[in-house]
Amino acid sequence: MKISILHTSNNHPIKPWLLNWIDTQKNLHEIDLVDTKENLVEGDILFLISCSEFISKKERDKFKKTLLIHASDLPKGRGWSPHIWEILNGAEQIVISLLEAEDKIDSGDIWKKVKVNISKNALYDEINRDIFIAELKLMEFAISNFNNVIVQKQSNIDSTYWPKRTSKESELNLNKTINEQFDIIRVSDPNRFPAFFYKNGKKFILKIEVNDE
């Protein structure tokens, strides 16, 4: 099978996982990892993984199927960084959806959903690990079930949308306790969107790690 993965966020923590997964699949399939749609060629499956580019129908038609993975129980939680928003709202379980790409964001037919349990003490890297493992398994499901999958249509009636997160969402309030802001701290990527606060006119970065001693 000829597979392309469009991954436009080169500093995203899933990239090493994708590279390792491709290495495990190289004797089974022809897989290309590209960082811009300009480098896409035709094939069987196009996976959009942490992709910020809009892929038009004309571009999708180069492939038999164009699929993406979204960390919410679609149609609820369309939009950006859904699992982060959900954890901040108290979620201890995240649904990961494999779906077809369409012009309207996160509206395509669902191929499969899986559930991932998130510990209340899990930090960003542990959260990423569990979600990335689920995403790679969904990619393998798509390949294995390419010709016989039964899709589920989405309803727009129950749809909800999360807004795009910025670095501002990682700012801490000095007047609140660590306990009150623990979820903000633990979901903040220390490399891309670290938790921070301002004190005496200076910006301070706060990083957290587990000490099992």
Side-chain angles (χ1 to χ4, degrees), residues 172-187:
L172 303 174
N173 186 336
L174 288 180
N175 295 316
K176 292 185 177 181
T177 67
I178 290 178
N179 188 54
E180 290 176 289
Q181 301 177 98
F182 181 66
D183 284 339
I184 297 176
I185 298 170
R186 73 188 183 104
V187 301

Side-chain angles (χ1 to χ4, degrees), residues 7 98 176:
H7 172 69
L98 171 70
K176 292 185 177 181

Side-chain angles (χ1 to χ4, degrees), residues 1 3-5 21-22 25-26 29-33 143:
M1 185 173 285
I3 300 166
S4 290
I5 302 172
W21 181 81
I22 290 171
Q25 301 290 314
K26 63 184 179 182
H29 308 285
E30 180 184 344
I31 304 178
D32 292 321
L33 177 65
I143 295 169

Side-chain angles (χ1 to χ4, degrees), residues 16-209:
W17 291 77
L18 288 174
L19 291 171
N20 182 68
W21 181 81
I22 290 171
D23 190 58
T24 66
Q25 301 290 314
K26 63 184 179 182
N27 294 326
L28 302 173
H29 308 285
E30 180 184 344
I31 304 178
D32 292 321
L33 177 65
V34 298
D35 59 8
T36 176
K37 63 183 182 180
E38 303 301 325
N39 294 330
L40 289 174
V41 294
E42 63 183 17
D44 296 305
I45 300 179
L46 169 59
F47 286 112
L48 306 178
I49 307 296
S50 299
C51 173
S52 60
E53 293 183 331
F54 173 74
I55 309 302
S56 68
K57 185 178 185 304
K58 181 179 179 180
E59 292 161 331
R60 298 196 302 268
D61 284 345
K62 294 178 181 179
F63 299 84
K64 294 178 182 178
K65 289 294 180 182
T66 298
L67 304 172
L68 61 96
I69 296 174
H70 190 74
S72 79
D73 191 7
L74 293 171
K76 295 180 179 180
R78 292 174 179 173
W80 291 266
S81 307
H83 76 279
I84 300 295
W85 288 115
E86 291 187 18
I87 291 172
L88 289 174
N89 280 273
E92 295 184 52
Q93 188 178 78
I94 301 297
V95 175
I96 315 293
S97 301
L98 171 70
L99 66 151
E100 296 182 13
E102 296 289 350
D103 286 349
K104 186 177 180 180
I105 185 170
D106 303 327
S107 66
D109 293 346
I110 303 291
W111 279 40
K112 186 177 177 64
K113 293 181 179 182
V114 296
K115 296 178 180 179
V116 176
N117 293 323
I118 305 295
S119 166
K120 294 293 287 185
N121 289 328
L123 303 185
Y124 80 99
D125 53 342
E126 298 167 302
I127 297 169
N128 284 345
R129 177 198 64 206
D130 293 343
I131 288 178
F132 295 165
I133 289 173
E135 291 186 357
L136 295 174
K137 287 182 178 178
L138 283 174
M139 292 169 67
E140 293 173 4
F141 171 87
I143 295 169
S144 300
N145 295 272
F146 184 72
N147 294 314
N148 56 12
V149 67
I150 299 175
V151 302
Q152 174 188 346
K153 296 288 184 180
Q154 287 196 54
S155 168
N156 290 321
I157 297 176
D158 298 325
S159 63
T160 60
Y161 291 82
W162 290 115
K164 187 172 184 178
R165 288 181 63 80
T166 67
S167 59
K168 181 68 177 176
E169 273 72 49
S170 296
E171 183 174 1
L172 303 174
N173 186 336
L174 288 180
N175 295 316
K176 292 185 177 181
T177 67
I178 290 178
N179 188 54
E180 290 176 289
Q181 301 177 98
F182 181 66
D183 284 339
I184 297 176
I185 298 170
R186 73 188 183 104
V187 301
S188 296
D189 184 326
N191 299 311
R192 299 187 302 153
F193 304 105
F196 68 95
F197 60 89
Y198 287 98
K199 175 74 172 176
N200 299 327
K202 287 191 175 184
K203 182 178 181 180
F204 294 85
I205 301 297
L206 182 65
K207 298 184 179 181
I208 187 173
E209 63 181 28

